[in-house]
Amino acid sequence: EAPAETETEAPATSHEHTRTGMSKASLKQAYIDNLFYIQGRFREVATPHDLYMAAAFTVRDRMLERWVKSAQVYKSSRARTVCYLSAEYLLGPHLANNLVNLGIAEVAQRAGEELDLDFKAILEEEEEPGLGNGGLGRLAACYMDSLATVQIPAIGYGIRYEFGIFDQIIEDGWQVERSDTWLRNGNPWEIPRPKISFPVMYGGHTEHYRDQAERPRVRWIPDMVISGVAYDTPVLGYGVGNVNLLRLWKAEATESFDFQTFNVGDYYGAVHAKIEAETISKVLYPNDDPEAGKELRLKQQYFFVSCSIQDMIRLHLNTVGPLETFHEKFVAQLNDTHPAIAVAELMRLLMDDHAVTWDDAWATTRATFCYTNHTLLPEALETWSVALFERLLPRHLEIIYEINRRFLDEVRVRYLGDEERVARMSLIDEAGGRRIRMAHLAVVGSRAVNGVAALHSELIKTTLLKDFYEMAPERFHNVTNGVTPRRFIVVSNPRLAELITEVCGHDRWIRDLDSLRELEAHADDPKLQARWREVKTAAKRDLAVWLKRHAGVLLDPQTMMFDIQAKRLHEYKRQHLNVLHIIRVYQRLKQNPNLGMVPRAFIFGGKAAPGYYMAKLMIKLINAVAEVINNDPQVNGYIRVAFMPDFNVKNGQRLYPAADLSEQISLAGKEASGTGNMKFSMNGALTVGTLDGANIEIREEVGAENFFLFGMTAEEVRRKQDEGYRPWDYYHGDQELKSDIDLIASGLFSHGDTNLFRPLTEHLIHQDPFMVLADYRAYLECQDRISTVYDRPAEWDRMSILNVARMGKFSSDRSIREYAERIWSIEPQPLGA
Ligand code: AZC
């Protein structure tokens, strides 16, 4: 083990030392070595990318030693292991995070300075792996960080998409998508494992036969076989020696398949097979896409699930032994229904490949899986047509039918004569074209089900999965989401981290976020408040510089409140409610230019699914309103609007530290949890929010007096919907609301074009499915209160300090501990740093 020595000027001597030493001298030596031996460059001709790669390899070397050791310990102790199955991992840049988790961020920076390197520029050079859409994918990444930090043996399984979430550029106010080519310059963080590869089959038919022992067996004769190859990325915990594994699968043509075609002289056919195979891990599907449900997506899901389960079985047979104990070695968490086919796949592998009986296979399967639900939105609930399944996964369809037959028998026995209930609970939706309900498969095949915030978990029990809850209430849980304070405070807001450490007198808070409570005692200290404000203003200045460059908007960090809404564009998240408020302020200012209001910068960021027309129109609207306001000298001293292009993890890290106000304004009952809400609040933003998702718990923690609440409750929303919601009445009943909507319709923001935004305004007036109009008045009143408080800095700063001080609950370390104790029954395996 390399000593975590304190800085020494002694030159790095031995080979081992340069590879693993943590001193400034070793880091410098290692950096130069890597630049030379891996990049083949000397300083004078190195490109910025070469400089980054050398840094990445220098850091990676220091993780590998810990990685190998973790693997050895986990193997010899036969540690119980969590497998997190997720179609998405929104990882964000690795370099800065790994420096922090290794505990060498400062010494590396000094080493860099002595080598005359621009440390910031090197960090900026990294292209982030955007292998996720939004909250669900980022949650998986936070959980990987926390699993390692709380020292739980874990493997994250997923897909190594060649193209992640598209890059967003804004042209003429519209979103334009560009393909994300994150692998273009190579990925220094992954290690390809060509020897770890599994066949994945599609199509064909099944054959039922009797084996030598006369047992009934099934053989699947596919018409396509591809292979999945492992690409491994080490995930190091903060301040510990534990390194877990993120194993992402890349699809390739199987060699034998390839050659077979080649041998009969069909060269082009062989090449075609190769292309078809590789298509499977080519591109991440943007969610919220109304046209989702594509065949390729089901192929992707099955692809990574099959590789992962085969890998788990291989690991188990290599280390522990008999398959009867598989569920003692592994617990597998299904991140939403995307990997739910795993239930049928484990059954298939156990029965068809390993001759396990149905009853034993089922007992093992149900003891292995747990399922996390992330949404109640009906359009986001996955179903697949039976016809598609029959074509692509015929054996799995048989298994699902059998699971369903046995399950529905249980339901019938339990609820005599209640055939309606049977139909509701069936894995097959028989209404209008038969479809497989993946959520039902996930529930029936799991031993635990959880939602991602208290309200959401309640709603699961009372609405989406009510029948299942009634049948087995003990299997339903809540685990409120969390985010990692390493990335979202230490890496993205170093000034704040430093100030907190100074005030608390320790940096233990980084892995014990509850200890931020120690800040409470200082919340009224004017000296701390002044420094708190300085830190915020400095972050706002950084963001302003960036937005000037990349959005062409000039914001004043000194005088303006930074009011930020950053998240995927979606009607339920109600970015248009925010816009209506901006238009109201604009109109007020036009009527009375001497209003003397608190200056505000309204900042947005977020991508819209390429096929989601209304969300794209909302982006256009924001930019159109920005154009008018930012160019109107009557108002632009008071308000400005900016749309940050290409909101991703890297750009998010610029936003969270700079926010005074965090917009969390979804219609109550629709946002399962939200995690951006936590990131903002951890960085000292105050929240304006509805009683939705984790907002409720954030408010509980920070105190109602430190949270700006508005709007209907989920219960009120439900009642209003039952009564028959009529947005038209709100439109006509509120002069200001009407005039704000009419202003959009008038063409003021569209160079006189009265058609452009009509789909949006008409939809609001006539349908308004997310009740923007019903919450409009309450939102405006709340925003006025916010301006009043912002005008009293001591009060605002106090609230801001208390928000940070009370965010301990929202560390993903807490979430992971809850999963470990209540759902996974798994113990930490501590390894020293
Ligand atoms: C999101 C939820 O919308 C969000 O409220 C939650 O915080 C997050 O998951 C993590 O639990 N859901 C998704 O991102 N869903 C998909 C399919 O991407």
Side-chain angles (χ1 to χ4, degrees):
E1 169 80 3
E5 60 195 295
T6 47
E7 210 171 306
T8 122
E9 287 305 317
T13 46
S14 77
H15 177 70
E16 267 74 8
H17 198 71
T18 6
R19 278 253 143 158
T20 58
M22 306 286 246
S23 71
K24 189 173 64 184
S26 321
L27 289 170
K28 282 164 70 176
Q29 186 60 51
Y31 182 85
I32 292 165
D33 267 16
N34 281 329
L35 192 58
F36 189 87
Y37 288 107
I38 300 190
Q39 293 306 104
R41 295 282 196 194
F42 54 94
R43 253 321 276 286
E44 288 70 21
V45 299
T47 64
H49 188 259
D50 294 327
L51 298 178
Y52 157 72
M53 291 293 266
F57 284 117
T58 303
V59 170
R60 193 185 84 174
D61 283 344
R62 279 150 185 79
M63 297 167 70
L64 289 182
E65 198 194 21
R66 289 162 177 75
W67 192 12
V68 170
K69 185 169 276 171
S70 299
Q72 281 168 343
V73 170
Y74 291 173
K75 184 170 181 189
S76 64
S77 70
R78 302 179 165 202
R80 181 160 162 82
T81 300
V82 179
C83 296
Y84 201 78
L85 297 186
S86 179
E88 303 189 8
Y89 290 91
L90 230 183
L91 298 167
H94 294 279
L95 179 55
N97 195 250
N98 285 334
L99 283 167
V100 163
N101 282 12
L102 274 170
I104 56 169
E106 278 159 40
V107 59
Q109 182 157 3
R110 280 201 300 280
E113 277 158 16
E114 288 180 18
L115 290 172
D116 213 17
L117 294 165
D118 182 344
F119 201 68
K120 265 210 170 126
I122 287 181
L123 294 177
E124 279 293 322
E125 189 60 29
E126 181 170 355
E127 191 131 18
E128 72 172 75
L131 310 184
N133 272 286
L136 170 147
R138 182 55 234 177
L139 186 78
C142 282
Y143 282 0
M144 287 307 292
D145 179 82
S146 284
L147 280 161
T149 299
V150 310
Q151 309 188 292
I152 307 264
I155 305 173
Y157 282 115
I159 301 175
R160 182 179 175 275
Y161 299 105
E162 188 176 332
F163 302 103
I165 184 76
F166 62 86
D167 294 335
Q168 177 195 57
I169 53 176
I170 302 297
E171 271 178 21
D172 186 28
W174 294 98
Q175 164 176 299
V176 175
E177 301 93 23
R178 289 269 182 279
S179 60
D180 156 56
T181 51
W182 70 288
L183 286 169
R184 165 182 51 184
N185 297 314
N187 171 12
W189 303 101
E190 68 184 7
I191 298 181
R193 305 277 190 208
K195 292 283 174 223
I196 302 181
S197 112
F198 296 97
V200 178
M201 312 193 279
Y202 296 99
H205 63 276
T206 61
E207 287 173 5
H208 293 246
Y209 67 101
R210 288 197 174 262
D211 64 15
Q212 284 155 340
E214 283 300 309
R215 288 171 304 194
R217 300 284 297 274
V218 181
R219 205 170 14 232
W220 175 15
I221 318 291
D223 59 20
M224 177 176 174
V225 183
I226 65 160
S227 74
V229 179
Y231 281 70
D232 289 352
T233 301
V235 181
L236 170 69
Y238 172 80
V240 296
N242 297 63
V243 178
N244 283 332
L245 170 60
L246 177 63
R247 176 161 284 171
L248 304 180
W249 303 101
K250 175 178 192 281
E252 289 184 356
T254 44
E255 255 177 49
S256 54
F257 197 71
D258 222 349
F259 284 135
Q260 220 177 341
T261 324
F262 191 62
N263 286 341
V264 296
D266 185 4
Y267 177 72
Y268 290 102
V271 173
H272 176 76
K274 182 169 160 60
I275 292 173
E276 200 171 279
E278 287 175 359
T279 305
I280 289 179
S281 59
K282 202 52 111 185
V283 59
L284 167 76
Y285 274 91
N287 60 0
D288 306 332
D289 204 319
E291 315 159 57
K294 306 229 177 66
E295 176 170 334
L296 179 59
R297 187 167 160 86
L298 179 58
K299 278 192 185 164
Q300 289 185 336
Q301 295 181 349
Y302 177 62
F303 164 70
F304 95 90
V305 161
S306 179
C307 292
S308 308
I309 306 274
Q310 291 184 67
D311 195 37
M312 288 161 69
I313 291 177
R314 174 188 66 95
L315 287 167
H316 186 68
L317 294 176
N318 278 350
T319 54
V320 188
L323 283 172
E324 292 80 70
T325 58
F326 182 81
H327 57 282
E328 290 166 20
K329 166 72 182 170
F330 289 116
V331 55
Q333 189 70 36
L334 304 174
N335 199 25
D336 217 280
T337 54
H338 315 150
I341 188 64
V343 170
E345 177 67 355
L346 181 56
M347 288 296 288
R348 181 186 76 83
L349 288 167
L350 291 176
M351 294 188 303
D352 297 0
D353 287 10
H354 298 277
V356 179
T357 64
W358 178 282
D359 288 333
D360 290 346
W362 185 238
T364 300
T365 298
R366 278 200 85 181
T368 299
F369 292 108
C370 308
Y371 158 57
T372 305
N373 171 279
H374 293 267
T375 184
L376 300 170
L377 293 184
E379 64 271 28
L381 297 174
E382 283 193 304
T383 61
W384 293 105
S385 85
V386 165
L388 176 59
F389 247 83
E390 199 150 24
R391 187 147 46 79
L392 226 51
L393 301 170
R395 176 64 181 132
H396 297 78
L397 184 61
E398 289 177 354
I399 293 172
I400 289 170
Y401 278 152
E402 182 62 13
I403 293 173
N404 198 37
R405 190 185 67 76
R406 291 169 182 243
F407 172 64
L408 294 183
D409 275 351
E410 273 176 55
V411 177
R412 283 195 186 90
V413 169
R414 177 76 184 271
Y415 302 96
L416 292 180
D418 193 349
E419 278 303 312
E420 266 176 41
R421 183 184 295 260
V422 171
R424 287 199 305 268
M425 295 182 81
S426 173
L427 304 195
I428 314 292
D429 183 354
E430 305 278 350
R434 310 178 68 224
R435 301 185 71 84
I436 302 176
R437 297 161 163 156
M438 299 307 275
H440 291 199
L441 176 61
V443 173
V444 172
S446 295
R447 65 191 166 86
V449 179
N450 76 283
V452 290
L455 171 67
H456 171 64
S457 296
E458 278 313 304
L459 291 173
I460 286 178
K461 295 193 287 192
T462 52
T463 61
L464 182 68
L465 300 175
K466 184 169 187 281
D467 296 318
F468 294 88
Y469 174 68
E470 284 173 7
M471 203 163 148
E474 70 287 351
R475 291 173 45 217
F476 285 73
H477 303 261
N478 171 246
V479 181
T480 298
N481 283 167
V483 302
T484 169
R486 271 73 65 184
R487 182 176 293 276
F488 291 107
I489 303 179
V490 183
V491 172
S492 56
N493 200 347
R495 297 184 192 95
L496 182 65
E498 215 173 286
L499 179 58
I500 293 172
T501 298
E502 189 192 314
V503 175
C504 294
H506 62 75
D507 64 6
R508 221 179 44 242
W509 60 272
I510 298 171
R511 63 176 134 160
D512 172 18
L513 208 63
D514 286 323
S515 68
L516 286 180
R517 287 264 174 194
E518 293 163 27
L519 291 171
E520 275 188 24
H522 309 272
D524 288 307
D525 174 4
K527 280 207 281 312
L528 177 62
Q529 290 184 352
R531 296 185 62 196
W532 198 262
R533 184 153 280 251
E534 267 168 40
V535 164
K536 182 60 77 183
T537 307
K540 289 164 72 174
R541 201 175 303 121
D542 289 350
L543 177 61
V545 168
W546 194 91
L547 285 172
K548 177 76 192 60
R549 278 256 314 265
H550 296 90
V553 183
L554 201 60
L555 307 177
D556 183 353
Q558 213 69 46
T559 62
M560 293 182 145
M561 178 207 295
F562 279 22
D563 172 342
I564 308 186
Q565 185 169 19
K567 48 183 81 244
R568 285 296 288 258
L569 265 288
H570 202 295
E571 289 164 276
Y572 87 78
K573 295 175 188 285
R574 303 200 292 191
Q575 280 92 353
H576 39 3
L577 178 58
N578 190 337
V579 173
L580 288 177
H581 170 236
I582 298 172
I583 293 175
R584 179 89 315 261
V585 175
Y586 173 67
Q587 299 220 72
R588 278 189 206 152
L589 277 169
K590 293 300 275 186
Q591 280 150 20
N592 178 7
N594 307 312
L595 199 60
M597 62 165 288
V598 177
R600 271 206 212 202
F602 298 95
I603 302 165
F604 293 83
K607 294 174 184 175
Y612 187 175
Y613 172 71
M614 199 59 92
K616 292 179 114 173
L617 194 57
M618 283 160 72
I619 293 180
K620 174 65 176 171
L621 175 64
I622 293 164
N623 284 304
V625 169
E627 191 189 337
V628 168
I629 289 180
N630 297 346
N631 291 303
D632 183 341
Q634 253 189 330
V635 303
N636 67 14
Y638 290 105
I639 53 174
R640 302 250 173 157
V641 182
F643 191 94
M644 168 189 256
D646 205 31
F647 175 58
N648 53 18
V649 178
K650 199 172 175 181
N651 288 333
Q653 289 176 202
R654 305 178 209 280
L655 286 180
Y656 302 118
D660 294 303
L661 186 66
S662 154
E663 299 272 351
Q664 308 300 336
I665 59 178
S666 53
L667 177 64
K670 300 294 179 193
E671 189 70 271
S673 162
T675 44
N677 46 5
M678 301 166 187
K679 295 165 197 167
F680 279 111
S681 193
M682 262 182 205
N683 282 278
L686 302 187
T687 304
V688 54
T690 48
L691 283 177
D692 199 14
N695 293 355
I696 297 174
E697 290 156 81
I698 291 175
R699 178 167 172 269
E700 259 165 35
E701 291 293 305
V702 304
E705 67 286 3
N706 299 308
F707 185 103
F708 296 106
L709 177 70
F710 78 97
M712 294 177 288
T713 62
E715 182 55 33
E716 285 163 350
V717 168
R718 197 187 52 81
R719 238 180 292 129
K720 192 167 287 295
Q721 249 143 14
D722 289 350
E723 286 163 7
Y725 171 55
R726 284 189 309 275
W728 180 257
D729 296 348
Y730 287 88
Y731 174 72
H732 285 286
D734 187 326
Q735 266 311 306
E736 292 192 321
L737 170 59
K738 180 166 185 306
S739 108
D740 293 340
I741 294 178
D742 289 352
L743 198 64
I744 299 174
S746 77
L748 176 73
F749 303 114
S750 40
H751 305 279
D753 182 346
T754 54
N755 284 322
L756 182 61
F757 295 118
R758 192 190 299 253
L760 199 150
T761 52
E762 293 289 306
H763 196 55
L764 280 181
I765 298 169
H766 298 293
Q767 268 91 39
D768 192 18
F770 300 103
M771 300 186 162
V772 172
L773 305 201
D775 272 342
Y776 165 89
R777 188 42 62 186
Y779 181 57
L780 288 195
E781 284 169 6
C782 188
Q783 287 287 9
D784 289 341
R785 288 203 309 277
I786 290 166
S787 292
T788 314
V789 180
Y790 193 74
D791 232 3
R792 305 198 283 259
E795 201 174 315
W796 187 277
D797 292 338
R798 172 176 199 277
M799 292 167 75
S800 168
I801 295 169
L802 289 177
N803 261 262
V804 174
R806 297 169 179 176
M807 286 301 287
K809 171 170 174 184
F810 304 100
S811 167
S812 41
D813 299 347
R814 186 271 313 150
S815 312
I816 287 301
R817 288 198 183 96
E818 288 186 6
Y819 276 104
E821 281 164 27
R822 306 210 309 251
I823 295 190
W824 300 332
S825 312
I826 190 166
E827 301 274 321
Q829 284 274 315
L831 280 161

